[in-house]
Amino acid sequence: MASYQAIGATCEAVMRLLQQSWRPALFDDASLQFRVYGTRNFATPMDAGVSLYLYRVATNSTVRTPPPRPVPGNGNRVRRPQLPLDLHFLLTPWAREASLEQQILGWMMRTIEDTPTLPSGLLNSSLTGVFTAEEQVQLVQGQLSNEELFRIWDVLPSDYQISVPYVASIVYIDSELERQAGE
């Protein structure tokens, strides 16, 4: 299953999905950027594009912890159970004109609705070998109250921008530690 690099690789895969789906002819040949943002990036945001801001990572509460898995080639050793995570992020459209920003927003949401599953090929596009061939991650629209959303924007070094919460679920992270079977 996925390595510790899965969180960053998943965020990059969402941006890659949008970037690969973008067609400049959609909006008068507008050129867009697609970037994963950290808090400091909001101080000098892009002129036109989409940013992904990871604001929360939580252990998935609906998945039972799977049993330890055998280490390939060593049947009496097992890997510790996987860590099932949900990644909560904001997608924010950026543009100088409100009308273009709103068009980007609608296009972005439609694109994710059309492709809600990130396959391993896309997940491994920025870092190869992070996910196994059978792994995938689901994208669903998240739930934030207006108060929670405004609280996030209160701590960012930028004025409020329309944004949409999403959750990437479930990102399984394997342990690098092994133990004897039965321990």
Side-chain angles (χ1 to χ4, degrees), residues 48-179:
V50 178
S51 66
L52 180 151
Y53 177 63
L54 182 66
Y55 67 89
R56 180 174 178 235
V57 177
T59 303
N60 183 286
S61 61
T62 60
V63 175
R64 289 184 165 186
T65 304
R69 296 181 313 119
V71 174
N74 190 346
N76 63 344
R77 302 286 298 168
V78 293
R79 290 201 188 272
R80 294 181 183 268
Q82 297 168 321
L83 177 62
L85 299 176
D86 288 337
L87 312 181
H88 299 257
F89 57 90
L90 291 179
L91 287 178
T92 305
W94 298 90
R96 294 209 181 269
E97 298 84 31
S99 60
L100 178 56
E101 192 174 89
Q102 294 159 2
Q103 290 174 16
I104 294 168
L105 176 70
W107 165 82
M108 170 187 79
M109 292 177 72
R110 182 71 254 174
T111 298
I112 291 177
E113 187 66 25
D114 288 342
T115 313
T117 302
L118 302 176
S120 62
L122 188 59
L123 291 163
N124 285 324
S125 60
S126 65
L127 294 168
T128 58
V130 174
F131 291 86
T132 60
E134 68 275 357
E135 285 185 282
Q136 58 186 18
V137 173
Q138 300 293 317
L139 300 177
V140 295
Q141 192 165 357
Q143 299 295 319
L144 281 178
S145 69
N146 286 338
E147 181 181 340
E148 292 169 318
L149 184 61
F150 291 141
R151 200 173 316 139
I152 290 170
W153 280 98
D154 278 345
V155 298
L156 294 173
S158 178
D159 293 332
Y160 174 79
Q161 289 287 124
I162 189 73
S163 50
V164 183
Y166 280 93
V167 179
S169 186
I170 300 171
V171 177
Y172 290 99
I173 298 183
D174 267 344
S175 175
E176 296 293 319
L177 301 177
E178 299 174 6
R179 63 182 189 203

